[in-house]
């Protein structure tokens, strides 16, 4: 976030994406931790899995809107 704040414009769109959620046993960040971090920065949070085609398109739609 510091890099975004440092180099991006003030009105840049941000979204926090948790990826590869299909690999449950390898997960490093829980859904709750992701949601909490997104809430801290006041940005949307979405979890995705390209392998299971889960929320990938939705993440782009969220960013675009």
């Amino acid at each position: 976030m510091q890099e975004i704040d440092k180099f991006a414009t003030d009105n840049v769109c941000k979204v926090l994406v948790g990826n590869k959620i299909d690999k449950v046993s390898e997960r490093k960040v829980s859904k709750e931790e992701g949601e909490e971090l997104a809430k801290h920065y006041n940005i949307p949070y979405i979890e995705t899995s390209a392998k299971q085609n889960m929320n990938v398109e939705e993440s782009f739609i969220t960013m675009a809107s």
Side-chain angles (χ1 to χ4, degrees):
M1 293 302 273
Q2 291 172 347
E3 295 292 310
I4 293 170
D5 291 340
K6 183 176 178 180
F7 295 108
T9 61
D10 289 337
N11 62 345
V12 68
C13 295
K14 301 175 209 170
V15 62
L16 181 60
V17 179
N19 66 343
K20 297 184 185 250
I21 62 167
D22 53 284
K23 296 189 173 193
V24 178
S25 65
E26 298 176 33
R27 192 168 189 139
K28 305 291 185 208
V29 178
S30 71
K31 181 177 183 176
E32 293 78 16
E33 289 172 307
E35 290 172 336
E36 193 174 309
L37 185 61
K39 185 177 178 181
H40 174 77
Y41 286 110
N42 197 31
I43 60 175
Y45 175 68
I46 191 162
E47 293 193 322
T48 65
S49 168
K51 184 177 182 179
Q52 295 179 349
N53 193 26
M54 219 161 104
N55 291 333
V56 175
E57 185 175 347
E58 288 84 350
S59 66
F60 286 98
I61 291 169
T62 299
M63 181 58 112
S65 62

